[in-house]
Amino acid sequence: MASTTASAADAPAHAETVRAKGRLYRGDLGMWSWVAHRITGVLTFFFLFVHVLDTALVRVSPNAYDTVIETYKHPLMILFELGLLAAVLFHAFNGIRVMLVDFWSQGTKYQKPMLWTVLVLWLVLMVPAAISMLTRAVTEIFGG
């Protein structure tokens, strides 16, 4: 009985030590991939929600719909489009990786190389898109 009490008394001290370092969970790149997958999924959901609402606005008031669409044509909205593209691309590629890990017998063995592949593909597609979209935004803002 004394050993149970002693081990229970040691547990809070160990938990306080971990919290004192500032990190409750020490995750690796896979944890950050999980977090990014959830965040990009939520961002994509909110975009789709707003898209459905602004499209439905045409039935309520065509003039209000036209006003909303005009705000989307502002050059600064290109930054939001770029963010949307980044979120959708990462969520799609990482979703394929998650499916492979879940349904392919070798998936867990290759999950880290697949994550690096996702990140490389994301960068290969995002860098030219970002250059193109930001060039267009700068041209529209400052003239060209």
Side-chain angles (χ1 to χ4, degrees):
M1 198 165 203
S3 65
T4 306
T5 307
S7 65
D10 292 341
H14 176 62
E16 290 173 13
T17 305
V18 173
R19 288 188 186 138
K21 292 181 181 178
R23 291 163 70 175
L24 189 60
Y25 174 73
R26 294 182 184 187
D28 61 355
L29 193 58
M31 182 204 68
W32 293 111
S33 168
W34 180 87
V35 169
H37 193 72
R38 288 345 179 241
I39 291 171
T40 56
V42 169
L43 291 174
T44 303
F45 170 79
F46 281 126
F47 163 75
L48 291 173
F49 182 72
V50 169
H51 178 63
V52 167
L53 286 179
D54 68 16
T55 303
L57 191 60
V58 76
R59 306 227 345 129
V60 176
S61 170
N63 290 334
Y65 173 79
D66 291 339
T67 303
V68 169
I69 295 303
E70 281 303 312
T71 62
Y72 291 159
K73 293 179 182 177
H74 192 277
L76 290 177
M77 291 301 290
I78 292 173
L79 295 175
F80 288 106
E81 290 177 3
L82 186 60
L84 175 65
L85 178 63
V88 169
L89 276 178
F90 178 81
H91 193 77
F93 288 148
N94 196 52
I96 293 169
R97 183 188 72 87
V98 167
M99 286 189 295
L100 287 171
V101 168
D102 287 345
F103 297 114
W104 179 35
S105 63
Q106 299 293 313
T108 54
K109 180 180 177 183
Y110 295 108
Q111 69 177 343
K112 279 204 180 208
M114 286 190 293
L115 179 57
W116 285 110
T117 303
V118 164
L119 294 175
V120 167
L121 282 173
W122 183 82
L123 277 172
V124 164
L125 292 174
M126 279 306 299
V127 168
I131 291 169
S132 173
M133 293 173 83
L134 293 174
T135 300
R136 184 178 57 152
V138 168
T139 302
E140 289 182 24
I141 290 172
F142 298 112

